[in-house]
Each structure stands twice: as C-alpha cells, then as structure tokens.
C-alpha cells in the first residue's frame, strides 16, 4: 500500500510539471506586446510594439532548447533544464550594436513551478538616462543584485479586459550607483520590478521602475503589456 501511495504522489507531481508551463517554448508561438516608456524629466511617454517569436525548438533528454526572435532583431537562446528545474538563458545576439554587461549565460527563473519563494539575479540598469549637459544621453550600465520574491498565486488575473487563469505575481527590488561626471560623487538608483506571469502564456504584464534623485536623470518607467498571442 505504501508503494502505491508513493506511486500516486509521483504521478501527481509529474502531471503538475507537465500541466504548468510559465515559459512556453512551443515553436511558432508569437507574443505581441505594447511597450510604454515614461520619463519624469521630460514628462513624456513613448509607446511602441514588440513581437517575440519562438523560432526554433529542440527537445533533448535533459530538457528543451529554444530560440526567441524579437522584432527589434535581437535573438535569445534558452534552455529549460527539467532535471535541475530551472530556465537558463544560454546566449544572446543583439542588433544595432546593443549589448549586456550583466551575465548573458544566467538563470532566468530558478524554479519552473515557482515553488521557490525568493531568489537573486544579477542585472543591469537599462532605463536610466541623462538629459542635461554634460551627461546628456549618458546611459549607465551598472550591475547589481535584484532580489525577487513570489508575492502570490492567483487563480484569476485580469488585464486589458482579458481573463487569465493560474497566474503568479513576482516583485523584484534592487539598488546600485554610478558616476556620470567625475566632478560629482556616485548617484544612487533604486530599482523595482513587477511581473504577472500566467500558465501557458508567459509574461502578461511587466513593470519596471528606475528612480534617482539626480535632477539630470530623473525617474524612468517601463511597462510591457501583452495584447495578442498566437
């Protein structure tokens, strides 16, 4: 009887791992997002569209390797490690001379089912920008530790009038500093992110804030919303 009990538990766990997929990798899936960028310095906002497509998927014994192409020309390679229960970004190819100072090969989510409540990732600034001379158009790329936590699980999440099922809400916080002008000291930046991820969908809504008290930089906001999935 004990043997059958553990067999049932094993089957239940296996079904859960198959049924829940917060980072879909099916070849041909395409997400369309609106990207809204706001600056407290200019008081203006800029909106654009971003398409993300799973262009190639390879299933292996250890997991699944797949490629995602962004409409801005950037391509990312990921690996769903089923044995170690995590998602890894293996490589990235950037268009228009872009790049990363944060590690390219790193974990994206350390737990496929998000049973782990807290984790850390190394990230970089990508919103903060200077607007006044002599730091106009200066973009710091400071690396820092982002502390993530699973705040809650939601049976239902509604966004843009659409209802999504089986979702999670993640919050990340971090801080760093940079020197834009040798005549002044380090400028502090506080970072916060919020992300709503849903089963078999992926990211539905993402918000990121990079805030500094430096008048030449101000605060920057990034909002990414899913508007279509094929």
């Amino acid at each position: 009887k004990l043997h059958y009990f553990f067999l049932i538990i094993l089957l239940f766990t296996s079904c859960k791992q198959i049924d829940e997929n917060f980072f879909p990798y099916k070849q041909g899936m395409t997400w369309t997002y609106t990207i809204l960028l706001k600056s407290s310095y200019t008081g203006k906002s800029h909106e654009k569209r971003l398409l993300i497509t799973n262009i190639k998927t390879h299933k292996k014994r250890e997991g699944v390797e797949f490629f995602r192409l962004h409409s801005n020309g950037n391509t990312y390679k990921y690996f769903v490690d089923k044995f170690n229960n995590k998602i890894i970004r293996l490589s990235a190819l950037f268009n228009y001379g872009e790049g990363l100072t944060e590690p390219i090969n790193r974990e994206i989510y350390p737990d496929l089912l998000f049973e782990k409540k807290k984790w850390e990732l190394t990230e970089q600034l990508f919103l903060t920008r200077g607007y006044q001379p002599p730091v106009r158009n200066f973009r710091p790329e400071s690396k820092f530790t982002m502390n993530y936590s699973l705040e809650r699980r939601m049976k239902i999440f509604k966004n843009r009038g659409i209802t999504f099922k089986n979702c999670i809400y993640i919050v990340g916080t971090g801080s760093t500093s940079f020197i834009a002008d040798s005549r002044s000291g380090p400028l502090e930046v506080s970072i916060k992110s919020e992300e709503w991820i849903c089963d078999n969908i992926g990211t539905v809504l993402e918000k990121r804030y990079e805030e500094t008290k430096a008048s030449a930089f101000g605060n920057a906001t990034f909002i990414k919303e899913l508007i279509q999935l094929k």
Side-chain angles (χ1 to χ4, degrees):
K1 291 183 179 179
L2 189 61
H3 171 75
Y4 287 115
F5 173 76
F6 283 115
L7 180 60
I8 291 171
I9 293 296
L10 179 61
L11 288 173
F12 175 79
T13 304
S14 299
C15 290
K16 184 178 180 184
Q17 289 177 342
I18 293 172
D19 291 341
E20 291 189 346
N21 185 3
F22 294 103
F23 207 81
Y25 47 75
K26 181 180 178 182
Q27 186 168 314
M29 287 186 72
T30 300
W31 296 258
T32 303
Y33 291 96
T34 61
I35 305 293
L36 184 65
L37 299 171
K38 298 180 180 180
S39 167
S40 66
Y41 180 89
T42 63
K44 297 180 180 179
S45 59
H46 173 67
E47 185 174 300
K48 59 183 180 180
R49 297 287 177 93
L50 176 68
L51 273 68
I52 301 176
T53 304
N54 288 344
I55 58 172
K56 188 181 295 184
T57 299
H58 297 295
K59 291 187 178 181
K60 301 183 176 182
R61 188 178 67 87
E62 302 86 359
V64 180
E65 182 182 272
F66 64 103
F67 295 80
R68 282 189 172 177
L69 173 65
H70 291 210
S71 55
N72 60 8
N74 296 343
T75 305
Y76 300 85
K77 180 181 179 182
Y78 299 96
F79 183 68
V80 178
D81 188 337
K82 293 185 176 180
F83 287 157
N84 294 308
N85 194 35
K86 59 186 177 181
I87 298 172
I88 305 168
R89 183 178 65 199
L90 297 177
S91 63
L93 179 63
F94 297 99
N95 202 5
Y96 305 116
E98 296 179 354
L100 291 175
T101 56
E102 68 182 32
I104 290 179
N105 188 322
R106 71 173 177 91
E107 293 181 2
I108 300 298
Y109 299 124
D111 186 344
L112 292 175
L113 299 177
F114 290 95
E115 293 176 346
K116 191 173 184 179
K117 306 300 181 184
K118 295 182 182 295
W119 65 95
E120 296 180 351
L121 292 176
T122 300
E123 297 188 3
Q124 71 179 77
L125 296 174
F126 71 88
L127 297 177
T128 304
R129 172 187 171 189
Y131 289 94
Q132 295 178 5
V135 296
R136 179 176 291 164
N137 294 323
F138 174 77
R139 294 178 179 270
E141 298 179 339
S142 303
K143 293 190 294 184
F144 59 93
T145 298
M146 195 74 160
N147 300 290
Y148 284 98
S149 62
L150 175 61
E151 293 297 310
R152 64 177 178 269
R153 293 182 178 271
M154 299 172 286
K155 292 183 178 180
I156 297 293
F157 173 62
K158 294 183 178 181
N159 190 61
R160 285 182 170 258
I162 302 173
T163 299
F164 301 91
K165 297 181 179 180
N166 188 19
C167 303
I168 55 177
Y169 171 53
I170 298 171
V171 174
T173 57
S175 63
T176 186
S177 62
F178 65 91
I179 297 177
D181 187 346
S182 59
R183 294 171 296 180
S184 61
L187 302 177
E188 302 292 329
V189 184
S190 61
I191 306 97
K192 179 180 179 181
S193 72
E194 299 176 281
E195 191 171 5
W196 291 260
I197 306 171
C198 298
D199 184 24
N200 290 317
I201 302 292
T203 300
V204 172
L205 176 63
E206 180 183 357
K207 298 181 181 181
R208 184 181 176 102
Y209 314 91
E210 294 183 6
E211 300 181 347
T212 174
K213 294 181 180 179
S215 59
F217 289 85
N219 304 322
T221 302
F222 167 94
I223 301 175
K224 173 182 169 184
E225 286 188 273
L226 180 68
I227 58 174
Q228 189 177 48
L229 173 62
K230 293 182 179 181

mmCIF file of all heavy atoms in Angstrom, residues 30-59:
data_model
loop_
_atom_site.group_PDB
_atom_site.id
_atom_site.type_symbol
_atom_site.label_atom_id
_atom_site.label_comp_id
_atom_site.label_asym_id
_atom_site.label_seq_id
_atom_site.Cartn_x
_atom_site.Cartn_y
_atom_site.Cartn_z
ATOM 1 N N THR A 30 3.837 33.235 -30.943
ATOM 2 C CA THR A 30 4.205 34.642 -31.111
ATOM 3 C C THR A 30 3.423 35.509 -30.129
ATOM 4 O O THR A 30 2.197 35.418 -30.045
ATOM 5 C CB THR A 30 3.929 35.129 -32.541
ATOM 6 O OG1 THR A 30 4.700 34.341 -33.468
ATOM 7 C CG2 THR A 30 4.316 36.594 -32.708
ATOM 8 N N TRP A 31 4.150 36.353 -29.406
ATOM 9 C CA TRP A 31 3.553 37.291 -28.464
ATOM 10 C C TRP A 31 3.691 38.709 -29.025
ATOM 11 O O TRP A 31 4.756 39.083 -29.514
ATOM 12 C CB TRP A 31 4.268 37.252 -27.117
ATOM 13 C CG TRP A 31 4.179 35.973 -26.365
ATOM 14 C CD1 TRP A 31 3.371 35.697 -25.300
ATOM 15 C CD2 TRP A 31 4.956 34.777 -26.568
ATOM 16 N NE1 TRP A 31 3.582 34.416 -24.841
ATOM 17 C CE2 TRP A 31 4.551 33.828 -25.606
ATOM 18 C CE3 TRP A 31 5.952 34.417 -27.484
ATOM 19 C CZ2 TRP A 31 5.103 32.558 -25.524
ATOM 20 C CZ3 TRP A 31 6.496 33.140 -27.421
ATOM 21 C CH2 TRP A 31 6.075 32.228 -26.456
ATOM 22 N N THR A 32 2.633 39.490 -28.938
ATOM 23 C CA THR A 32 2.698 40.907 -29.320
ATOM 24 C C THR A 32 2.480 41.742 -28.068
ATOM 25 O O THR A 32 1.474 41.582 -27.369
ATOM 26 C CB THR A 32 1.631 41.260 -30.366
ATOM 27 O OG1 THR A 32 1.798 40.423 -31.510
ATOM 28 C CG2 THR A 32 1.772 42.713 -30.799
ATOM 29 N N TYR A 33 3.429 42.632 -27.788
ATOM 30 C CA TYR A 33 3.368 43.474 -26.591
ATOM 31 C C TYR A 33 3.360 44.954 -26.985
ATOM 32 O O TYR A 33 3.926 45.345 -28.006
ATOM 33 C CB TYR A 33 4.591 43.241 -25.700
ATOM 34 C CG TYR A 33 4.658 41.890 -25.033
ATOM 35 C CD1 TYR A 33 5.397 40.850 -25.596
ATOM 36 C CD2 TYR A 33 4.002 41.649 -23.829
ATOM 37 C CE1 TYR A 33 5.475 39.617 -24.983
ATOM 38 C CE2 TYR A 33 4.090 40.415 -23.201
ATOM 39 C CZ TYR A 33 4.822 39.403 -23.789
ATOM 40 O OH TYR A 33 4.894 38.173 -23.178
ATOM 41 N N THR A 34 2.738 45.754 -26.137
ATOM 42 C CA THR A 34 2.949 47.197 -26.198
ATOM 43 C C THR A 34 4.015 47.519 -25.161
ATOM 44 O O THR A 34 4.007 46.980 -24.052
ATOM 45 C CB THR A 34 1.679 48.002 -25.876
ATOM 46 O OG1 THR A 34 1.235 47.695 -24.540
ATOM 47 C CG2 THR A 34 0.574 47.689 -26.864
ATOM 48 N N ILE A 35 4.946 48.385 -25.529
ATOM 49 C CA ILE A 35 5.998 48.834 -24.622
ATOM 50 C C ILE A 35 5.812 50.333 -24.402
ATOM 51 O O ILE A 35 5.838 51.110 -25.356
ATOM 52 C CB ILE A 35 7.401 48.572 -25.199
ATOM 53 C CG1 ILE A 35 7.567 47.097 -25.578
ATOM 54 C CG2 ILE A 35 8.471 49.020 -24.216
ATOM 55 C CD1 ILE A 35 7.557 46.146 -24.421
ATOM 56 N N LEU A 36 5.613 50.716 -23.155
ATOM 57 C CA LEU A 36 5.438 52.127 -22.818
ATOM 58 C C LEU A 36 6.625 52.589 -21.981
ATOM 59 O O LEU A 36 6.920 52.004 -20.940
ATOM 60 C CB LEU A 36 4.136 52.338 -22.053
ATOM 61 C CG LEU A 36 3.770 53.791 -21.713
ATOM 62 C CD1 LEU A 36 3.503 54.582 -22.998
ATOM 63 C CD2 LEU A 36 2.574 53.848 -20.792
ATOM 64 N N LEU A 37 7.314 53.628 -22.439
ATOM 65 C CA LEU A 37 8.459 54.202 -21.733
ATOM 66 C C LEU A 37 8.104 55.607 -21.269
ATOM 67 O O LEU A 37 7.652 56.434 -22.062
ATOM 68 C CB LEU A 37 9.688 54.238 -22.646
ATOM 69 C CG LEU A 37 10.178 52.883 -23.165
ATOM 70 C CD1 LEU A 37 11.246 53.084 -24.230
ATOM 71 C CD2 LEU A 37 10.717 52.034 -22.025
ATOM 72 N N LYS A 38 8.318 55.875 -19.971
ATOM 73 C CA LYS A 38 7.996 57.180 -19.408
ATOM 74 C C LYS A 38 9.217 57.784 -18.733
ATOM 75 O O LYS A 38 10.033 57.068 -18.148
ATOM 76 C CB LYS A 38 6.871 57.071 -18.377
ATOM 77 C CG LYS A 38 5.553 56.560 -18.908
ATOM 78 C CD LYS A 38 4.525 56.498 -17.785
ATOM 79 C CE LYS A 38 3.178 55.988 -18.248
ATOM 80 N NZ LYS A 38 2.194 55.926 -17.138
ATOM 81 N N SER A 39 9.338 59.107 -18.814
ATOM 82 C CA SER A 39 10.434 59.827 -18.162
ATOM 83 C C SER A 39 9.855 60.961 -17.331
ATOM 84 O O SER A 39 9.064 61.761 -17.834
ATOM 85 C CB SER A 39 11.408 60.389 -19.197
ATOM 86 O OG SER A 39 12.294 61.319 -18.605
ATOM 87 N N SER A 40 10.258 61.022 -16.059
ATOM 88 C CA SER A 40 9.787 62.126 -15.208
ATOM 89 C C SER A 40 10.483 63.431 -15.587
ATOM 90 O O SER A 40 9.960 64.519 -15.332
ATOM 91 C CB SER A 40 10.054 61.806 -13.732
ATOM 92 O OG SER A 40 11.448 61.754 -13.463
ATOM 93 N N TYR A 41 11.667 63.338 -16.225
ATOM 94 C CA TYR A 41 12.397 64.550 -16.625
ATOM 95 C C TYR A 41 11.679 65.262 -17.763
ATOM 96 O O TYR A 41 11.459 66.474 -17.709
ATOM 97 C CB TYR A 41 13.824 64.199 -17.037
ATOM 98 C CG TYR A 41 14.628 65.404 -17.459
ATOM 99 C CD1 TYR A 41 15.358 66.138 -16.520
ATOM 100 C CD2 TYR A 41 14.654 65.831 -18.784
ATOM 101 C CE1 TYR A 41 16.078 67.264 -16.897
ATOM 102 C CE2 TYR A 41 15.371 66.944 -19.170
ATOM 103 C CZ TYR A 41 16.079 67.667 -18.224
ATOM 104 O OH TYR A 41 16.783 68.785 -18.605
ATOM 105 N N THR A 42 11.305 64.519 -18.789
ATOM 106 C CA THR A 42 10.644 65.130 -19.952
ATOM 107 C C THR A 42 9.141 65.251 -19.756
ATOM 108 O O THR A 42 8.490 66.068 -20.415
ATOM 109 C CB THR A 42 10.903 64.304 -21.218
ATOM 110 O OG1 THR A 42 10.311 63.003 -21.057
ATOM 111 C CG2 THR A 42 12.387 64.154 -21.475
ATOM 112 N N GLY A 43 8.590 64.418 -18.856
ATOM 113 C CA GLY A 43 7.150 64.404 -18.682
ATOM 114 C C GLY A 43 6.424 63.747 -19.847
ATOM 115 O O GLY A 43 5.196 63.821 -19.957
ATOM 116 N N LYS A 44 7.174 63.101 -20.717
ATOM 117 C CA LYS A 44 6.592 62.491 -21.907
ATOM 118 C C LYS A 44 6.661 60.974 -21.823
ATOM 119 O O LYS A 44 7.416 60.400 -21.042
ATOM 120 C CB LYS A 44 7.332 62.973 -23.168
ATOM 121 C CG LYS A 44 7.227 64.468 -23.424
ATOM 122 C CD LYS A 44 7.994 64.855 -24.683
ATOM 123 C CE LYS A 44 7.893 66.355 -24.948
ATOM 124 N NZ LYS A 44 8.656 66.753 -26.160
ATOM 125 N N SER A 45 5.858 60.328 -22.653
ATOM 126 C CA SER A 45 5.880 58.878 -22.751
ATOM 127 C C SER A 45 5.963 58.479 -24.222
ATOM 128 O O SER A 45 5.519 59.219 -25.107
ATOM 129 C CB SER A 45 4.635 58.259 -22.111
ATOM 130 O OG SER A 45 3.460 58.731 -22.738
ATOM 131 N N HIS A 46 6.528 57.315 -24.459
ATOM 132 C CA HIS A 46 6.699 56.821 -25.831
ATOM 133 C C HIS A 46 6.225 55.380 -25.886
ATOM 134 O O HIS A 46 6.620 54.552 -25.050
ATOM 135 C CB HIS A 46 8.168 56.902 -26.245
ATOM 136 C CG HIS A 46 8.467 56.266 -27.563
ATOM 137 N ND1 HIS A 46 7.994 56.763 -28.765
ATOM 138 C CD2 HIS A 46 9.193 55.153 -27.878
ATOM 139 C CE1 HIS A 46 8.414 55.994 -29.749
ATOM 140 N NE2 HIS A 46 9.142 55.013 -29.244
ATOM 141 N N GLU A 47 5.364 55.058 -26.843
ATOM 142 C CA GLU A 47 4.832 53.699 -26.959
ATOM 143 C C GLU A 47 5.278 53.056 -28.262
ATOM 144 O O GLU A 47 5.319 53.711 -29.311
ATOM 145 C CB GLU A 47 3.303 53.710 -26.882
ATOM 146 C CG GLU A 47 2.685 52.312 -26.884
ATOM 147 C CD GLU A 47 1.187 52.337 -26.657
ATOM 148 O OE1 GLU A 47 0.771 52.831 -25.595
ATOM 149 O OE2 GLU A 47 0.438 51.888 -27.552
ATOM 150 N N LYS A 48 5.585 51.787 -28.182
ATOM 151 C CA LYS A 48 5.962 51.026 -29.376
ATOM 152 C C LYS A 48 5.475 49.590 -29.226
ATOM 153 O O LYS A 48 4.978 49.197 -28.161
ATOM 154 C CB LYS A 48 7.470 51.069 -29.595
ATOM 155 C CG LYS A 48 8.295 50.512 -28.443
ATOM 156 C CD LYS A 48 9.784 50.658 -28.718
ATOM 157 C CE LYS A 48 10.619 50.113 -27.566
ATOM 158 N NZ LYS A 48 12.067 50.248 -27.824
ATOM 159 N N ARG A 49 5.604 48.805 -30.288
ATOM 160 C CA ARG A 49 5.201 47.406 -30.275
ATOM 161 C C ARG A 49 6.418 46.508 -30.311
ATOM 162 O O ARG A 49 7.447 46.857 -30.900
ATOM 163 C CB ARG A 49 4.305 47.095 -31.488
ATOM 164 C CG ARG A 49 2.989 47.849 -31.512
ATOM 165 C CD ARG A 49 2.020 47.326 -30.482
ATOM 166 N NE ARG A 49 0.796 48.104 -30.461
ATOM 167 C CZ ARG A 49 -0.295 47.812 -31.160
ATOM 168 N NH1 ARG A 49 -0.289 46.757 -31.976
ATOM 169 N NH2 ARG A 49 -1.369 48.559 -31.066
ATOM 170 N N LEU A 50 6.288 45.352 -29.683
ATOM 171 C CA LEU A 50 7.356 44.359 -29.702
ATOM 172 C C LEU A 50 6.749 42.988 -29.957
ATOM 173 O O LEU A 50 5.826 42.571 -29.251
ATOM 174 C CB LEU A 50 8.119 44.344 -28.369
ATOM 175 C CG LEU A 50 9.208 43.275 -28.234
ATOM 176 C CD1 LEU A 50 10.365 43.561 -29.184
ATOM 177 C CD2 LEU A 50 9.713 43.185 -26.795
ATOM 178 N N LEU A 51 7.247 42.307 -30.989
ATOM 179 C CA LEU A 51 6.828 40.941 -31.294
ATOM 180 C C LEU A 51 7.936 39.980 -30.884
ATOM 181 O O LEU A 51 9.113 40.212 -31.172
ATOM 182 C CB LEU A 51 6.533 40.769 -32.785
ATOM 183 C CG LEU A 51 5.121 41.116 -33.278
ATOM 184 C CD1 LEU A 51 4.873 42.619 -33.167
ATOM 185 C CD2 LEU A 51 4.926 40.646 -34.713
ATOM 186 N N ILE A 52 7.559 38.899 -30.198
ATOM 187 C CA ILE A 52 8.506 37.878 -29.774
ATOM 188 C C ILE A 52 8.018 36.533 -30.300
ATOM 189 O O ILE A 52 6.866 36.161 -30.082
ATOM 190 C CB ILE A 52 8.649 37.826 -28.241
ATOM 191 C CG1 ILE A 52 9.110 39.182 -27.700
ATOM 192 C CG2 ILE A 52 9.608 36.722 -27.828
ATOM 193 C CD1 ILE A 52 9.182 39.249 -26.193
ATOM 194 N N THR A 53 8.899 35.813 -31.012
ATOM 195 C CA THR A 53 8.505 34.549 -31.638
ATOM 196 C C THR A 53 9.465 33.424 -31.263
ATOM 197 O O THR A 53 10.682 33.608 -31.297
ATOM 198 C CB THR A 53 8.477 34.685 -33.174
ATOM 199 O OG1 THR A 53 7.609 35.757 -33.542
ATOM 200 C CG2 THR A 53 7.982 33.391 -33.823
ATOM 201 N N ASN A 54 8.911 32.275 -30.903
ATOM 202 C CA ASN A 54 9.721 31.069 -30.728
ATOM 203 C C ASN A 54 10.031 30.519 -32.118
ATOM 204 O O ASN A 54 9.173 29.912 -32.757
ATOM 205 C CB ASN A 54 8.959 30.014 -29.919
ATOM 206 C CG ASN A 54 8.839 30.374 -28.452
ATOM 207 O OD1 ASN A 54 9.543 31.246 -27.958
ATOM 208 N ND2 ASN A 54 7.950 29.700 -27.750
ATOM 209 N N ILE A 55 11.241 30.754 -32.603
ATOM 210 C CA ILE A 55 11.540 30.398 -33.997
ATOM 211 C C ILE A 55 12.091 28.981 -34.164
ATOM 212 O O ILE A 55 12.046 28.427 -35.259
ATOM 213 C CB ILE A 55 12.527 31.409 -34.625
ATOM 214 C CG1 ILE A 55 13.830 31.480 -33.815
ATOM 215 C CG2 ILE A 55 11.877 32.778 -34.750
ATOM 216 C CD1 ILE A 55 14.906 32.312 -34.480
ATOM 217 N N LYS A 56 12.627 28.412 -33.087
ATOM 218 C CA LYS A 56 13.180 27.057 -33.207
ATOM 219 C C LYS A 56 13.183 26.390 -31.838
ATOM 220 O O LYS A 56 13.561 26.993 -30.837
ATOM 221 C CB LYS A 56 14.599 27.116 -33.764
ATOM 222 C CG LYS A 56 15.194 25.744 -34.112
ATOM 223 C CD LYS A 56 16.626 25.876 -34.634
ATOM 224 C CE LYS A 56 16.660 26.627 -35.957
ATOM 225 N NZ LYS A 56 18.044 26.658 -36.510
ATOM 226 N N THR A 57 12.772 25.127 -31.803
ATOM 227 C CA THR A 57 12.720 24.368 -30.557
ATOM 228 C C THR A 57 13.364 23.001 -30.755
ATOM 229 O O THR A 57 13.051 22.302 -31.726
ATOM 230 C CB THR A 57 11.264 24.189 -30.076
ATOM 231 O OG1 THR A 57 10.688 25.478 -29.843
ATOM 232 C CG2 THR A 57 11.212 23.383 -28.788
ATOM 233 N N HIS A 58 14.263 22.631 -29.837
ATOM 234 C CA HIS A 58 14.908 21.316 -29.864
ATOM 235 C C HIS A 58 14.658 20.625 -28.528
ATOM 236 O O HIS A 58 15.049 21.131 -27.478
ATOM 237 C CB HIS A 58 16.423 21.441 -30.077
ATOM 238 C CG HIS A 58 16.818 22.056 -31.370
ATOM 239 N ND1 HIS A 58 16.562 21.462 -32.587
ATOM 240 C CD2 HIS A 58 17.457 23.220 -31.660
ATOM 241 C CE1 HIS A 58 17.026 22.227 -33.561
ATOM 242 N NE2 HIS A 58 17.558 23.305 -33.018
ATOM 243 N N LYS A 59 14.025 19.457 -28.575
ATOM 244 C CA LYS A 59 13.807 18.687 -27.352
ATOM 245 C C LYS A 59 14.964 17.721 -27.167
ATOM 246 O O LYS A 59 15.335 16.994 -28.082
ATOM 247 C CB LYS A 59 12.486 17.936 -27.431
ATOM 248 C CG LYS A 59 11.269 18.852 -27.387
ATOM 249 C CD LYS A 59 9.975 18.067 -27.302
ATOM 250 C CE LYS A 59 8.782 19.009 -27.206
ATOM 251 N NZ LYS A 59 7.495 18.266 -27.104
#
